[in-house]
Amino acid sequence: MSTNLKSVLRNTLVAIGISAIIFCIVGVAMDLGCKGNFSTSNYFFTKMALGSLLIGLGFGLPTFLYENDRLPLFLQSVLHMGIGCAVMLISAFAVGWIPISSGIYAVIFPLLGELAIALLIWLGFYLHNRKLVKTMNEQISKRTKTEP
């Protein structure tokens, strides 16, 4: 298996994991908010779980864009976030997480919340990778200075 394919597979599994964790946290919060009486019908839980999986795929699979050195980081990020957020929004509407019939504010606030979460996760990965690159560069500098 090629390194790029392994990287995309690993990133996709990480994205699915993050999506599943968020799904669980929100589910627990909903259950607590309903004082233990949170219930679903008509396969709603199954739809939500599949929507969460689809969102993980939507953010994980496009990570192959970062393997293309010809694209600037900004364009890679915009394309990645654009694809991921589009999949997330389509899934949210399809599953029923965003209540279209409840008015414009009931649609806007969940949309903004979902986008904010996606951007925060992206920012976390960006900062982690930036720190990793800085550490690697420092190690390379130390090695090149100590070599005769």
Side-chain angles (χ1 to χ4, degrees), residues 9-27 48-49 51-60 63 80-81 88 97 114 116-126 128-129:
L9 180 61
R10 183 182 57 79
N11 291 339
T12 300
L13 292 175
V14 167
I16 290 170
I18 290 171
S19 181
I21 289 169
I22 292 171
F23 175 71
C24 289
I25 291 170
V26 170
M48 291 189 303
S52 175
L53 176 66
L54 187 62
I55 291 168
L57 290 171
F59 279 102
T63 59
H80 177 223
M81 290 299 292
M88 180 178 58
W97 288 325
E114 289 178 3
I117 290 169
L119 288 172
L120 286 173
I121 292 170
W122 178 87
L123 181 63
F125 277 103
Y126 173 77
H128 169 75
N129 287 325

Side-chain angles (χ1 to χ4, degrees), residues 143-148:
R143 288 184 182 177
T144 57
K145 287 180 183 178
T146 59
E147 291 178 2

Side-chain angles (χ1 to χ4, degrees), residues 2-137:
S2 74
T3 305
N4 290 348
L5 185 59
K6 284 181 185 177
S7 177
V8 170
L9 180 61
R10 183 182 57 79
N11 291 339
T12 300
L13 292 175
V14 167
I16 290 170
I18 290 171
S19 181
I21 289 169
I22 292 171
F23 175 71
C24 289
I25 291 170
V26 170
V28 168
M30 293 292 292
D31 193 41
L32 291 172
C34 293
K35 298 186 183 351
N37 292 317
F38 182 69
S39 64
T40 64
S41 60
N42 297 324
Y43 301 104
F44 189 60
F45 181 83
T46 302
K47 292 175 188 175
M48 291 189 303
L50 291 174
S52 175
L53 176 66
L54 187 62
I55 291 168
L57 290 171
F59 279 102
L61 290 175
T63 59
F64 73 88
L65 293 165
Y66 296 106
E67 304 295 329
N68 185 344
D69 294 333
R70 291 179 289 173
L71 291 175
L73 177 62
F74 178 76
L75 184 57
Q76 291 170 337
S77 300
V78 168
L79 289 171
H80 177 223
M81 290 299 292
I83 293 168
C85 288
V87 169
M88 180 178 58
L89 294 176
I90 291 167
S91 298
F93 281 117
V95 169
W97 288 325
I98 299 177
I100 300 170
S101 62
S102 298
I104 190 72
Y105 292 113
V107 172
I108 290 175
F109 290 123
L111 284 175
L112 293 176
E114 289 178 3
L115 293 173
I117 290 169
L119 288 172
L120 286 173
I121 292 170
W122 178 87
L123 181 63
F125 277 103
Y126 173 77
L127 293 174
H128 169 75
N129 287 325
R130 190 172 79 173
K131 182 180 177 184
L132 186 63
V133 167
K134 181 180 177 186
T135 303
M136 289 169 56
N137 286 336

